[in-house]
Amino acid sequence: DLSELKKIVWLALDGNRLEGTIPEIYFDRLSNLETLGIDSNLLTGRLPTEIGRFANLRHLSLFDNVFTGTLPIGYSRLT
């Protein structure tokens, strides 16, 4: 269960053929992430707004999925 990984700083799930939407419940406890890679999967739906609140996030890779909707406003704060 990803929600138990409270101290994780790097999560790479690239190219695993993950399908469906991303449950937002996982991201409220992963606020220490510095790197998140979920590219090259089959993910759909909207991007979780919680990702935009991660103060330590420096690398975010989302390409090659089928996300819909607009980019959450909080993502503009990511550097």
Side-chain angles (χ1 to χ4, degrees):
D1 185 0
L2 289 177
S3 65
E4 299 301 320
L5 302 175
K6 298 172 188 167
K7 295 183 180 181
I8 193 167
V9 295
W10 182 70
L11 181 61
L13 300 172
D14 317 331
N16 284 295
R17 300 188 58 81
L18 299 174
E19 297 182 26
T21 59
I22 302 172
E24 292 194 22
I25 191 168
Y26 289 131
F27 290 102
D28 63 348
R29 296 193 181 155
L30 298 175
S31 60
N32 290 318
L33 278 179
E34 295 175 6
T35 299
L36 175 60
I38 53 175
D39 57 81
S40 303
N41 285 292
L42 302 169
L43 297 171
T44 60
R46 297 183 179 273
L47 294 168
T49 56
E50 286 83 1
I51 294 174
R53 297 185 199 129
F54 292 174
N56 299 322
L57 194 62
R58 299 291 174 251
H59 180 79
L60 177 62
S61 184
L62 304 169
F63 71 90
D64 204 13
N65 283 290
V66 194
F67 293 116
T68 58
T70 59
L71 193 63
I73 193 77
Y75 284 50
S76 65
R77 290 184 290 228
L78 299 174
T79 57

